[in-house]
Amino acid sequence: MNCAWSTLVTAASILAVLTILHLFFFPFGPSMDYFGVPVNISTSVGLPNNVTQITIPVIDLDHQYLPNAVVYRGAHWKPEIGRWLSLCDSSLMEVDIVEKIGGKSCTNNCSYQGVCNYELGQCRCFHGYAGDACAIKMNLNCNYPASPELPYGRWVVSICPAHCDTTRAMCFCGEGTKYPKRPVAEACGFKINLPYEPGAPKLTDWTKADLDNIFTTNHSKQGWCNVDPAQAYASKVKFKEECDCKYDGLWGLFCEIPVESVCFNQCSGHGFCRGGFCQCDSDWYGSDCSTPSISSSVLEWPQWLRPAQVTMPSDTQVSGIVPGFRAVVKRRRPLIYVYDMPPEFNSLLLEGRHFKFECVNRIYDDKNATVWTDQLYGAQIAIYESLLASSHRTLNGEEADYFFVPVLDSCIITRADDAPHLSMQDHKGLRSSLTLEYYRRAFDHISSQYTYWNHSSGRDHIWFFSWDEGACYAPKEIWNSMMLVHWGNTNSKHNHSTTAYYADNWDHIPSTRRGNHACFDPLKDLVLPAWKSPDTSALRVKFWAWPREKRRILFYFNGNLGPAYEGGRPEATYSMGIRQRLAEEYGSSPNKEGKYGRQHAEDVIVTPLRSEHYHADLGSSTFCGVLPGDGWSGRMEDSILQGCIPVIIQDGIFLPYENVLNYERFTVRISEDEIPDMVKILRNFNETEIDFKLANVKKVWQRFLYRDSIMLEAERQRTSYGRVDDWAIDFSELKEDDVFATLLQVLHYKLHNDPWRGVIAQKKKSYGLSGQCIAGN
């Protein structure tokens, strides 16, 4: 009887789903049209056997364009790439794609301590829980083992003299205090020693807890865990200055205001963000809760999954089990399958970070308004979120053209020292080695759980390395894949680790783990721009469009210039010595010895002094320096976004899109040996050449902007809070292709032009392209 009743309930559920499909004849859900963003919505619902045959136009690929360049949506591209994109990509047609909706259940509903992946039937456990059903409670200590000399263990960012939350390895005040959930982050709980000399930083003694300044109830100077915010704001009590609100999800000087934490796509409206990990509604899954299961409401499916037809398995009525079903949708290629990885590779790294600003492109204030960060590493989360929300995403790996493996190494950069369970003890203190291990374990997971890797030996897989030196230390197992990086070192000159940070050095990683590959292969990899915080004031001034007559400075560079200057990095290896050489020649600020550069000139600015009007200084300059820091830096993006012609000084290193864009049209490359002749070279450009390059910078600048990520956040804020901030309005007015659009265009070109695709046996796919555009035809 129980079996019959279960079958009846299942059948009724299926009938309800099929009935709801009729509602697809009208559009629903929030639309980006609110911000002026074109969204291509089709409301026609045709069955596959009734699909109208589309006529694909014949393409004339022999058509001639500008010599040495092709204009495509306002950008000068290399001819072989630009011609294909102008003629093929721009004429792409929609095709019918079968999407798979998962229905495999998880053991014991993951004990309500995790999210079920309905495609694999596997649990994704919250921080502090493990096992097939997330039933094992872990003990994540804040401190390393104690010793007589180190009563709280050796230093680690999570070091804690108070209450340790062992599910996240984070330190709080704990029971018995007035505010038990108030964080006691890092130096807050330990003795602070005054500096030995004036101006030097204070030093923390990690062997001595400062319990009086945490726990005391003394009226005149209350302990951090007992001080009343109202009294402190009214200056009626004193408290320890080193205590502040570092953890995400809390705001106010005393962490007294709970706010939104950062989660991927803020859980897409189908879950709750718990400190960085999306706790999805029971019918949804994925790191951002954007993937529907068979029991989710079809009305709430994302727009890119609106089905034309849903097909149930033929044995459903007999078995009473619905392992999944198929939905046919109209899509444009390229299609990208985004792996739903175990949370150790992404969500847990977000949830457990000890500094709210690290590795994210935004946080939220006391009104839950968006606060954009200056984190250069924010590009990784921006690309990941855009892929998860994109109409180019597919849930069917057999239809996918590419496979994206989300490993959030930008958070490993800042989390490697966060807690004992992330110990680098087996990695000789090298964060680069620890990160390599994460990528190798990610490879082990996808190669054991899925069949897609073997289709092309990983050539159609995409990995993002956001570290200073890119994919130099990628494990040898994944080197066939495409690497998205910020550092395109071809090893043509600097063939060893160039970072001044020992922990990031990859020279010491044995070739048995790393292999012998280069850091960057321009034939398969791509350099992406770094994240830059959306700046509405600069956008309104339109520095990117300033003409030549407003650019009074010939050359401008503002940044760390090394040990010769006050506050400069002490390592001679910093910037591979390039910034130091530039300063020796053209330094416009006195160094420690009071000397200027050998060729100091009034219209050449090379200074380490932080400018209060940095963007205006760039906008007032004709040429701007693009030099490395500890590997890549954000100077290329600074120059382009403010309309300044980049002067690239870093031999053998590719900049964003340099293997696809025609850099000669909008940049100047000067070899490191030519630094003494730099100003002479720049002064030799005539006004026509300068105007030409400035005009081309204006054409490409939006390709260095993560506008898609910005507008996704704008839509989330409008949907959740009805908020339309100024930045949302300003950036909605931009219409040219951004970073994400450029990435998709490059992937589309590679899909039909990478030589290996012609020799890999694949199922015949429908591409929506003229035959002339498909390799091998």
Side-chain angles (χ1 to χ4, degrees), residues 612-628:
E612 295 183 0
H613 309 285
Y614 180 58
H615 288 162
D617 292 340
L618 291 166
S620 302
S621 304
T622 302
F623 298 98
C624 295
V626 176
L627 292 78

Side-chain angles (χ1 to χ4, degrees), residues 352-658:
R353 71 192 195 281
H354 280 244
F355 302 104
K356 65 179 73 174
F357 286 97
E358 301 292 358
C359 77
V360 295
N361 60 0
R362 65 186 185 278
I363 59 172
Y364 297 94
D365 68 10
D366 57 334
K367 306 295 183 184
N368 281 324
T370 307
V371 178
W372 297 106
T373 77
D374 292 321
Q375 272 285 319
L376 293 174
Y377 302 111
Q380 192 169 56
I381 192 173
I383 286 292
Y384 184 31
E385 290 181 319
S386 288
L387 284 170
L388 288 170
S390 173
S391 61
H392 289 271
R393 180 186 174 192
T394 181
L395 301 179
N396 185 353
E398 298 302 327
E399 283 285 4
D401 304 308
Y402 294 96
F403 299 83
F404 183 75
V405 190
V407 178
L408 206 65
D409 75 337
S410 58
C411 282
I412 303 175
I413 293 173
T414 56
R415 286 222 59 200
D417 286 324
D418 273 15
H421 66 283
L422 291 175
S423 172
M424 292 191 292
Q425 187 171 355
D426 296 331
H427 298 278
K428 299 179 181 179
L430 297 174
R431 297 187 301 187
S432 52
S433 176
L434 175 67
T435 308
L436 181 151
E437 190 62 24
Y438 266 81
Y439 279 98
R440 191 196 59 75
R441 285 193 282 113
F443 163 75
D444 290 342
H445 173 77
I446 63 174
S447 61
S448 64
Q449 299 294 320
Y450 301 87
T451 61
Y452 309 132
W453 180 270
N454 293 332
H455 291 178
S456 66
S457 298
R459 290 184 180 91
D460 53 7
H461 281 55
I462 302 172
W463 308 73
F464 198 148
F465 280 77
S466 66
W467 279 55
D468 280 13
E469 297 204 323
C472 299
Y473 47 83
K476 60 184 180 181
E477 291 88 349
I478 71 172
W479 189 248
N480 276 342
S481 302
M482 179 182 183
M483 307 296 173
L484 302 180
V485 297
H486 297 313
W487 177 249
N489 188 354
T490 60
N491 287 348
S492 61
K493 179 175 181 179
H494 306 288
N495 58 359
H496 295 286
S497 178
T498 60
T499 179
Y501 284 117
Y502 170 81
D504 294 343
N505 189 296
W506 47 269
D507 286 341
H508 304 297
I509 300 176
S511 59
T512 52
R513 296 178 63 214
R514 192 182 79 87
N516 254 336
H517 60 74
C519 295
F520 179 77
D521 182 350
L523 295 179
K524 68 179 182 67
D525 303 332
L526 186 67
V527 182
L528 289 182
W531 168 263
K532 288 293 178 177
S533 177
D535 187 330
T536 54
S537 58
L539 186 64
R540 290 171 184 170
V541 176
K542 296 183 178 180
F543 290 128
W544 53 269
W546 275 22
R548 176 73 178 89
E549 54 268 23
K550 283 192 174 185
R551 299 180 180 274
R552 306 294 185 184
I553 302 171
L554 175 70
F555 177 87
Y556 182 84
F557 182 81
N558 184 326
N560 198 304
L561 297 177
Y565 290 81
E566 294 291 342
R569 287 286 296 276
E571 306 93 344
T573 55
Y574 175 70
S575 186
M576 301 178 287
I578 300 174
R579 293 190 185 192
Q580 294 90 315
R581 292 178 61 188
L582 184 76
E584 289 170 3
E585 291 292 336
Y586 308 106
S588 55
S589 298
N591 61 19
K592 290 178 180 178
E593 297 178 357
K595 296 180 179 179
Y596 292 94
R598 286 188 286 263
Q599 300 184 54
H600 172 53
E602 290 298 321
D603 60 349
V604 176
I605 307 297
V606 178
T607 178
L609 304 178
R610 185 177 295 273
S611 171
E612 295 183 0
H613 309 285
Y614 180 58
H615 288 162
D617 292 340
L618 291 166
S620 302
S621 304
T622 302
F623 298 98
C624 295
V626 176
L627 292 78
D630 274 309
W632 63 270
S633 73
R635 305 300 175 167
M636 181 69 178
E637 293 78 4
D638 290 339
S639 301
I640 290 287
L641 293 177
Q642 311 312 325
C644 188
I645 301 169
V647 178
I648 302 165
I649 311 176
Q650 41 192 307
D651 295 353
I653 296 168
F654 280 70
L655 277 293
Y657 316 129
E658 192 169 359

Side-chain angles (χ1 to χ4, degrees), residues 155-344:
W155 176 86
V156 66
V157 142
S158 61
I159 193 168
C160 181
H163 168 72
C164 178
D165 176 356
T166 55
T167 64
R168 293 189 293 166
M170 300 177 83
C171 191
F172 295 88
C173 290
E175 296 300 326
T177 63
K178 189 174 182 179
Y179 300 100
K181 295 183 179 179
R182 184 173 290 174
V184 182
E186 209 182 9
C188 176
F190 290 87
K191 291 286 185 181
I192 305 296
N193 296 322
L194 295 177
Y196 294 110
E197 57 185 45
K202 297 179 181 179
L203 299 176
T204 304
D205 187 343
W206 301 107
T207 67
K208 296 178 182 178
D210 192 9
L211 300 182
D212 283 345
N213 279 318
I214 302 177
F215 298 127
T216 185
T217 57
N218 182 291
H219 181 71
S220 61
K221 187 173 183 180
Q222 295 177 353
W224 168 252
C225 293
N226 295 305
V227 63
D228 181 86
Q231 287 188 317
Y233 287 133
S235 301
K236 293 182 179 180
V237 294
K238 297 179 180 180
F239 59 94
K240 188 175 183 181
E241 296 177 355
E242 285 72 25
C243 295
D244 58 10
C245 199
K246 290 184 171 69
Y247 297 167
D248 197 11
L250 298 168
W251 198 264
L253 187 58
F254 301 93
C255 313
E256 73 274 19
I257 305 172
V259 299
E260 188 92 3
S261 297
V262 177
C263 275
F264 300 117
N265 283 325
Q266 297 311 115
C267 308
S268 308
H270 299 298
F272 167 72
C273 180
R274 41 176 293 159
F277 194 123
C278 280
Q279 183 172 333
C280 301
D281 298 341
S282 60
D283 303 332
W284 295 80
Y285 69 103
S287 63
D288 70 339
C289 302
S290 65
T291 310
S293 69
I294 59 168
S295 56
S296 61
S297 170
V298 181
L299 284 174
E300 296 180 354
W301 282 9
Q303 291 183 5
W304 54 273
L305 269 181
R306 291 182 177 184
Q309 181 187 25
V310 170
T311 304
M312 292 291 180
S314 58
D315 63 345
T316 298
Q317 290 184 337
V318 177
S319 65
I321 298 174
V322 186
F325 56 74
R326 307 190 311 163
V328 179
V329 295
K330 287 192 174 297
R331 309 288 290 280
R332 285 188 174 90
R333 294 187 183 275
L335 294 177
I336 304 168
Y337 180 91
V338 182
Y339 285 105
D340 179 41
M341 299 293 289
E344 65 181 284

Side-chain angles (χ1 to χ4, degrees), residues 35 232 692:
F35 295 103
F692 177 74

Side-chain angles (χ1 to χ4, degrees), residues 666-704:
F666 62 95
T667 71
V668 175
R669 256 202 183 271
I670 292 177
S671 72
E672 295 165 27
D673 290 339
E674 291 178 313
I675 288 177
D677 299 321
M678 181 191 73
V679 168
K680 179 181 178 182
I681 293 170
L682 298 182
R683 294 196 193 280
N684 281 338
F685 284 104
N686 61 45
E687 293 299 314
T688 301
E689 293 172 308
I690 290 174
D691 288 342
F692 177 74
K693 288 182 182 291
L694 286 173
N696 283 333
V697 171
K698 287 171 60 176
K699 292 178 180 178
V700 302
W701 77 274
Q702 290 189 45
R703 295 187 185 273
F704 289 75

